[in-house]
Protein backbone atom coordinates (compact mmCIF):
# COMPACT_ATOMS: atom_id res chain seq x y z
CA UNK A 1 0.00 0.00 0.00
CA UNK A 2 1.24 3.48 -0.90
CA UNK A 3 1.82 5.82 2.03
CA UNK A 4 0.97 9.21 0.54
CA UNK A 5 1.86 12.62 1.90
CA UNK A 6 0.88 16.16 1.20
CA UNK A 7 3.84 18.51 1.56
CA UNK A 8 3.34 22.25 2.01
CA UNK A 9 5.71 25.09 1.29
CA UNK A 10 5.27 28.82 0.73
CA UNK A 11 7.05 31.46 -1.30
CA UNK A 12 6.68 35.16 -2.02
CA UNK A 13 5.40 35.16 -5.61
CA UNK A 14 3.09 33.21 -7.88
CA UNK A 15 5.90 32.73 -10.41
CA UNK A 16 8.23 31.23 -7.79
CA UNK A 17 5.42 28.98 -6.53
CA UNK A 18 4.75 27.69 -10.04
CA UNK A 19 8.47 27.10 -10.60
CA UNK A 20 8.69 25.09 -7.36
CA UNK A 21 5.61 23.09 -8.39
CA UNK A 22 6.80 22.42 -11.93
CA UNK A 23 10.33 21.49 -10.86
CA UNK A 24 9.13 18.88 -8.37
CA UNK A 25 6.62 17.35 -10.79
CA UNK A 26 9.13 17.27 -13.66
CA UNK A 27 11.63 15.50 -11.37
CA UNK A 28 8.91 13.00 -10.36
CA UNK A 29 9.27 14.03 -6.73
CA UNK A 30 5.56 14.83 -6.67
CA UNK A 31 2.69 13.53 -8.77
CA UNK A 32 0.91 16.86 -8.54
CA UNK A 33 1.42 20.28 -7.01
CA UNK A 34 -1.27 22.85 -6.40
CA UNK A 35 -0.54 26.56 -6.09
CA UNK A 36 -2.91 28.79 -4.14
CA UNK A 37 -2.74 32.33 -2.92
CA UNK A 38 -2.04 34.88 -2.12
CA UNK A 39 -2.32 34.22 1.59
CA UNK A 40 -1.25 36.54 4.39
CA UNK A 41 1.41 35.10 6.68
CA UNK A 42 2.22 36.55 10.10
CA UNK A 43 5.38 35.17 11.72
CA UNK A 44 8.42 35.81 13.91
CA UNK A 45 11.60 36.50 11.95
CA UNK A 46 14.88 37.96 13.19
CA UNK A 47 13.41 39.33 16.46
CA UNK A 48 10.42 41.00 14.76
CA UNK A 49 6.88 40.08 13.84
CA UNK A 50 6.52 40.16 10.07
CA UNK A 51 3.50 40.15 7.79
CA UNK A 52 3.86 39.17 4.15
CA UNK A 53 1.92 37.99 1.14
CA UNK A 54 2.80 34.45 0.12
CA UNK A 55 1.67 31.65 -2.19
CA UNK A 56 1.25 28.10 -0.95
CA UNK A 57 2.34 25.03 -2.87
CA UNK A 58 0.92 21.65 -1.85
CA UNK A 59 2.72 18.64 -3.30
CA UNK A 60 1.24 15.11 -3.51
CA UNK A 61 3.98 12.54 -3.02
CA UNK A 62 4.86 9.28 -1.28
CA UNK A 63 6.66 8.70 1.97
CA UNK A 64 9.54 7.08 0.07
CA UNK A 65 10.03 10.19 -2.12
CA UNK A 66 9.77 12.70 0.75
CA UNK A 67 13.52 12.93 1.48
CA UNK A 68 14.30 13.63 -2.18
CA UNK A 69 11.50 16.22 -2.39
CA UNK A 70 12.72 17.95 0.77
CA UNK A 71 16.30 18.02 -0.53
CA UNK A 72 15.09 19.45 -3.84
CA UNK A 73 13.06 22.17 -2.14
CA UNK A 74 15.95 23.12 0.13
CA UNK A 75 18.26 23.35 -2.89
CA UNK A 76 16.00 25.52 -5.05
CA UNK A 77 14.01 27.58 -2.54
CA UNK A 78 15.24 31.13 -1.99
CA UNK A 79 14.09 31.43 1.65
CA UNK A 80 16.73 31.00 4.38
CA UNK A 81 14.36 28.70 6.29
CA UNK A 82 11.57 27.54 3.98
CA UNK A 83 8.44 25.99 5.38
CA UNK A 84 8.43 22.32 4.40
CA UNK A 85 5.71 20.45 6.28
CA UNK A 86 4.56 16.92 5.46
CA UNK A 87 1.17 15.57 6.47
CA UNK A 88 0.20 11.92 6.03
CA UNK A 89 -2.83 11.17 3.87
CA UNK A 90 -4.96 9.03 6.15
CA UNK A 91 -7.53 7.99 3.56
CA UNK A 92 -7.72 8.21 -0.21
CA UNK A 93 -9.08 6.15 -3.05
CA UNK A 94 -6.95 3.20 -4.08
CA UNK A 95 -6.79 4.47 -7.66
CA UNK A 96 -5.53 7.90 -6.53
CA UNK A 97 -2.85 6.36 -4.30
CA UNK A 98 -1.73 4.14 -7.18
CA UNK A 99 -1.52 7.19 -9.46
CA UNK A 100 0.68 9.02 -6.93
CA UNK A 101 2.94 5.96 -6.61
CA UNK A 102 3.21 5.54 -10.39
CA UNK A 103 3.93 9.20 -11.10
CA UNK A 104 6.59 9.49 -8.39
CA UNK A 105 8.45 6.30 -9.20
CA UNK A 106 12.15 7.07 -9.37
CA UNK A 107 13.34 7.19 -13.00
Amino acid sequence: MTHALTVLTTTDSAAKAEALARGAVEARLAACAQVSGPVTSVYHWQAAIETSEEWQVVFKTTETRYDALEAHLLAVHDYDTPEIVATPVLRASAAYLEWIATETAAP
Side-chain angles (χ1 to χ4, degrees):
M1 175 153 113
T2 299
H3 295 281
L5 301 173
T6 60
V7 179
L8 173 69
T9 195
T10 57
T11 192
D12 60 3
S13 77
K16 289 179 186 177
E18 187 174 334
L20 290 171
R22 183 169 296 281
V25 172
E26 286 176 348
R28 294 201 174 270
L29 301 173
C32 169
Q34 296 170 314
V35 175
S36 60
V39 297
T40 300
S41 295
V42 180
Y43 53 94
H44 284 274
W45 185 249
Q46 299 179 342
I49 296 178
E50 301 287 338
T51 302
S52 63
E53 186 175 84
E54 294 185 299
W55 279 256
Q56 295 179 323
V57 186
V58 178
F59 302 92
K60 305 335 184 319
T61 193
T62 61
E63 193 171 345
T64 58
R65 294 296 275 161
Y66 174 80
D67 289 338
L69 175 59
E70 180 182 352
H72 171 79
L73 292 173
L74 289 171
V76 300
H77 207 296
D78 66 344
Y79 283 13
D80 292 340
T81 308
E83 173 183 16
I84 304 172
V85 178
T87 305
V89 174
L90 298 178
R91 297 191 63 159
S93 71
Y96 187 72
L97 293 174
E98 181 61 31
W99 174 76
I100 291 173
T102 299
E103 296 306 321
T104 59

